[in-house]
Amino acid sequence: MKQGLKIAIGSDHAGYDYKQILTAALSSVEVKDFGTYSSESVDYPDFAHPVANAVENGECDLGILICGAANGVAITANKHQGIRAAICWKEEIAVLARSHNNANIVCVPARFVTPEEAKAIVTTFLNTEFEGGRHANRVEKIACM
């Protein structure tokens, strides 16, 4: 993994255990934890917005959001102009999200992947670079509205 990488991470109650697992697995990079800090029921936007803000304003390079299906956190994060949050349930999806779409937040569906799969998805996402080229024009069109 790239040295000096700063990662924003957040989850709701359904993703809390996975957030703990992923944070421990990311010991080689700086991780800023935006909560939640327990498995008690919470509202996912309260954690998705701060992660998206940190990535959008450059405080963090990339972000990780975890909830049950990952839809809620992805929808919330994608409300931010500079965010391209992708739901990834397989490593191959993570590769394409980064290399073709220049996604800057990976959204993990904790109820649909194992902890090992989640670690592999996140590691792959963080280690994959945007290809640019023909994909750059497409990504630029996302933000033109």
Side-chain angles (χ1 to χ4, degrees):
M1 208 162 303
K2 251 194 300 190
Q3 290 298 324
L5 202 57
K6 190 167 183 182
I7 306 300
I9 193 167
S11 73
D12 69 356
H13 53 282
Y16 173 73
D17 290 338
Y18 278 49
K19 182 174 67 77
Q20 299 306 102
I21 291 166
L22 292 170
T23 300
L26 294 171
S27 60
S28 66
V29 296
E30 184 178 347
V31 178
K32 181 159 179 152
D33 186 346
F34 287 92
T36 191
Y37 304 108
S38 78
S39 57
E40 287 187 37
S41 183
V42 294
D43 299 331
Y44 57 81
D46 295 340
F47 308 97
H49 282 304
V51 168
N53 282 331
V55 174
E56 188 175 36
N57 70 26
E59 178 185 341
C60 294
D61 301 301
L62 297 168
I64 302 165
L65 288 167
I66 313 109
C67 75
N71 286 308
V73 292
I75 291 167
T76 302
N78 280 320
K79 296 290 183 189
H80 293 255
Q81 183 63 29
I83 297 302
R84 291 171 303 282
I87 301 171
C88 298
W89 60 95
K90 294 173 67 170
E91 284 182 79
E92 294 86 356
I93 303 295
V95 167
L96 293 172
R98 284 289 296 140
S99 64
H100 289 191
N101 307 117
N102 200 17
N104 50 15
I105 296 179
V106 60
C107 301
V108 179
R111 292 184 178 140
F112 297 92
V113 298
T114 66
E116 293 75 26
E117 289 169 327
K119 285 191 275 188
I121 289 163
V122 166
T123 300
T124 298
F125 184 87
L126 298 178
N127 285 324
T128 302
E129 295 292 330
F130 178 51
E131 288 179 11
R134 65 190 169 107
H135 303 294
N137 186 48
R138 296 168 184 163
V139 170
E140 285 176 26
K141 288 180 178 184
I142 294 170
C144 76
M145 299 303 290

